[in-house]
Amino acid sequence: MLKQAFARHPKIAALLAGFASATGFAPLNLWPVTLACLAALLVLIERAPDRRAAFSRGWMFGLGHFTLGLNWIAHAFTFQDSMPHWFGYGAVLLLSLYLAVYPGLATLGTWWLSRTKLPSLSGRGRGWVGERSEPLSFPLLFSALWLATEFLRSTLFTGFAWNPLGVTLLPTGAAIGATLIGTYGLGALTILAASAFLLAVRRRFRPAVILAAPLALLALWGLLSPAPATPVGAPRIRVVQPNIGQDEKYSVEAEYRNFRKLSTLSGQPRPAPRLIFWPEAAIPAYLDMEPDWRARLAHLLGPNDLLMTGGDKVYFKPVEENGALVNKLSGANNSVWIVTPAATIAGRYSKAHLVPYGEYLPMRNILEPIGLSRLVPGDADFWPGPGPQSLTLPANPGHPALKMGIQICYEIIFSGQVIDPANRPDFLFNPSNDAWFGSWGPVQHLAQARLRALEEGVPIIRSTPTGVSAIVDARGHVVHALGLNRAGFLDAGMPPALPPTLFARLGNWAPGLLMLMLLGAALALRRAKS
């Protein structure tokens, strides 16, 4: 019956397989289902009669895959009144219609390359090699092209790297492979594992073992690899989660209550030094312009403490109104500030990778007149900062001289773009505002942050208003966490960084080299069998 359904309604089968494949992401983490659905996609590509069918089947798979995986985006529309709330579901669909192009390109490319005649070693040209002949070249082609198109998805048109396929491997231990080949390389290995499953079903056990072996070895390595122990005397950190919802965040009436939550959860000053972390946009103040606010924050700190908090940096321009010059808001940076006990600013980082429609409105001159606006309140767009930086925290008798990298919210999802390789940090701070991400978005966000810790070999500290706040060690393990919709704090020692990983040294050249190896192996096998 299942075979008949595949044959009669291949596009519907692809759509349903794609929809089910997204259950491998958090919070469900049903990664075996993802593998089975990818195996079904392989069958559909193999049986595609032409290029149009090959593309449309991949595109339908992607449509189902992204529609379920990105359902949390619809929740964001409930926090603004400029557009109807139901439009959130339309936004998810529209975004998925675009993102599905990338799996479609991968399936089209695989179909086309598998049928392109190659010069034969024996002089006999041959077309595609499929299920009944050479069993390895087709999966190798698909894994290489999936890797390539997933990288393109993360870079074109500012990129949207959310939910890369490799993140489904986090529960297996095989995600430790990110230290070698990065997130996009893990996606390719996931395709190979799905192909191994399909070959095992077809009783082609030898090639199935060959394709499954890399993932199995990585899983064993990951399960046996010990977590880096936090040394005695490590710097103390306090991560604050105030449980301030998006509906309260911009309320003037709630400003005092919100600050009291943050200050209470930060704890009383103590002789031992602390690094205190507050969420993205935690305070409504402009710290470089409001000394009273800096004094207010400094009052919460002990003599050797430092506070890292999100807050905007704003810019004004003189505009003539009614014959007089007035300063009008022209733009802002979404920033993190380092506040000292002396009420001074020891450093600032500004977010570089901004969220379209969240922090700025693309093509504002066109979209604003037809009623579209940003999802986050504000009249002026945010401006991007210069990119990854390492800020040196002020050293004193209680603090070692630590280097802190910062990635604000959405920035953390971009593999290979989170640290300054010339000035490697001791840890990454990832303040975020996930309060408008529903219940699926925050846990998916944390999963992707864990991959960055693995790739770079540095711990990550996440502070969010409503969860999930966490301390992640350099092996991607969640050491401590605060769940959704609860107020609290994490008080712990700073996990140590590890030596730079292979991926940290090579960046996305590492998965790029893997892609070339897979592609070369696939074409070599085809030629050898021709």
Side-chain angles (χ1 to χ4, degrees):
M1 184 179 294
L2 193 58
K3 257 187 164 182
Q4 290 176 345
F6 265 59
R8 292 180 183 175
H9 307 288
K11 291 182 182 178
I12 294 176
L15 180 68
L16 294 176
F19 192 84
S21 72
T23 63
F25 298 116
L28 301 179
N29 294 317
L30 300 177
W31 60 269
V33 175
T34 302
L35 295 185
C37 292
L38 289 167
L41 178 60
L42 280 160
V43 174
L44 290 166
I45 310 168
E46 284 178 347
R47 297 178 181 178
D50 53 36
R51 284 176 293 185
R52 179 178 292 182
F55 175 80
S56 64
R57 293 175 187 188
W59 184 81
M60 292 294 283
F61 180 93
L63 180 59
H65 181 82
F66 292 114
T67 298
L68 180 61
L70 302 177
N71 72 80
W72 55 269
I73 292 177
H75 189 75
F77 281 75
T78 63
F79 294 108
Q80 56 76 50
D81 296 315
S82 300
M83 294 172 283
H85 294 177
W86 58 261
F87 188 72
Y89 297 99
V92 172
L93 180 60
L94 287 172
L95 180 59
S96 299
L97 288 170
Y98 159 66
L99 295 175
V101 168
Y102 294 99
L105 291 174
T107 56
L108 170 62
T110 302
W111 186 94
W112 179 73
L113 284 174
S114 66
R115 283 160 172 75
T116 301
K117 291 185 178 181
L118 299 174
S120 169
L121 294 179
S122 62
R124 295 179 291 110
R126 183 177 175 86
W128 89 291
V129 181
E131 172 186 342
R132 292 179 178 80
S133 49
E134 210 297 298
L136 293 177
S137 61
F138 196 81
L140 291 172
L141 277 175
F142 188 37
S143 62
L145 293 178
W146 186 281
L147 188 161
T149 54
E150 197 164 66
F151 176 76
L152 288 175
R153 172 165 72 90
S154 73
T155 53
L156 293 181
F157 310 115
T158 77
F160 188 74
W162 197 275
N163 276 355
L165 188 59
V167 80
T168 60
L169 298 180
L170 275 173
T172 70
I176 198 170
T179 61
L180 305 175
I181 55 175
T183 294
Y184 307 121
L186 287 183
L189 293 191
T190 307
I191 298 291
L192 294 182
S195 305
F197 172 77
L198 178 60
L199 288 169
V201 170
R202 292 173 172 171
R203 299 181 181 278
R204 306 197 72 167
F205 297 112
R206 185 175 178 181
V209 169
I210 292 172
L211 292 180
L215 207 62
L217 291 173
L218 286 174
L220 184 63
W221 176 27
L223 293 172
L224 296 179
S225 180
T230 301
V232 176
R236 300 299 299 180
I237 59 179
R238 192 174 181 102
V239 181
V240 173
Q241 179 173 299
N243 197 30
I244 297 171
Q246 193 71 5
D247 53 342
E248 302 175 88
K249 187 173 183 63
Y250 298 101
S251 167
V252 176
E253 295 79 12
E255 181 180 317
Y256 175 75
R257 182 171 67 249
N258 292 343
F259 181 78
R260 188 172 58 186
K261 285 183 181 179
L262 288 162
S263 60
T264 300
L265 292 170
S266 298
Q268 294 297 317
R270 61 180 83 158
R274 301 175 302 162
L275 302 176
I276 303 172
F277 298 92
W278 285 7
E280 177 188 16
I283 55 174
Y286 307 137
L287 289 181
D288 56 334
M289 302 166 60
E290 300 185 65
D292 289 349
W293 256 100
R294 295 200 302 271
R296 197 174 173 188
L297 297 177
H299 183 71
L300 305 176
L301 305 179
N304 295 316
D305 292 345
L306 292 172
L307 171 66
M308 275 57 69
T309 181
D312 295 343
K313 161 70 176 174
V314 294
Y315 301 89
F316 296 90
K317 63 179 179 182
V319 176
E320 186 174 342
E321 289 186 0
N322 300 321
L325 283 179
V326 296
N327 285 326
K328 187 173 182 180
L329 183 65
S330 60
N333 295 137
N334 184 352
S335 297
V336 166
W337 308 78
I338 304 173
V339 182
T340 72
T344 59
I345 301 299
R348 179 174 68 90
Y349 168 84
S350 292
K351 187 176 183 179
H353 210 134
L354 301 174
V355 182
Y357 304 100
E359 292 169 308
Y360 70 97
L361 185 64
M363 301 179 293
R364 178 177 285 275
N365 293 339
I366 298 172
L367 298 181
E368 198 168 43
I370 63 174
L372 295 180
S373 66
R374 282 172 38 195
L375 297 177
V376 177
D379 297 324
D381 285 337
F382 283 92
W383 297 343
Q389 296 173 291
S390 295
L391 304 181
T392 301
L393 301 181
N396 59 45
H399 273 302
L402 291 175
K403 291 181 181 179
M404 175 178 67
I406 303 172
Q407 291 289 287
I408 299 175
C409 196
Y410 174 73
E411 291 186 297
I412 200 70
I413 72 172
F414 292 94
S415 174
Q417 301 178 39
V418 298
I419 69 169
D420 176 3
N423 191 18
R424 181 176 165 83
D426 297 296
F427 69 96
L428 275 174
F429 177 36
N430 176 222
S432 184
N433 177 17
D434 295 354
W436 54 321
F437 285 8
S439 59
W440 283 40
V443 290
Q444 291 177 1
H445 205 176
L446 172 61
Q448 292 167 96
R450 291 175 62 191
L451 284 181
R452 300 296 86 74
L454 271 164
E455 287 174 339
E456 303 294 347
V458 296
I460 291 179
I461 297 166
R462 299 195 79 236
S463 177
T464 69
T466 58
V468 177
S469 299
I471 299 171
V472 180
D473 71 21
R475 280 289 188 228
H477 305 117
V478 178
V479 182
H480 303 284
L482 282 165
L484 289 171
N485 303 317
R486 51 175 294 201
F489 61 88
L490 303 173
D491 202 334
M494 173 77 74
L498 295 174
T501 64
L502 179 67
F503 179 84
R505 296 178 187 278
L506 296 181
N508 278 317
W509 286 105
L513 292 172
L514 175 65
M515 181 201 69
L516 294 176
M517 290 169 59
L518 292 168
L519 196 59
L523 298 178
L525 285 169
R526 281 206 50 214
R527 180 177 290 186
K529 288 290 183 178
S530 297

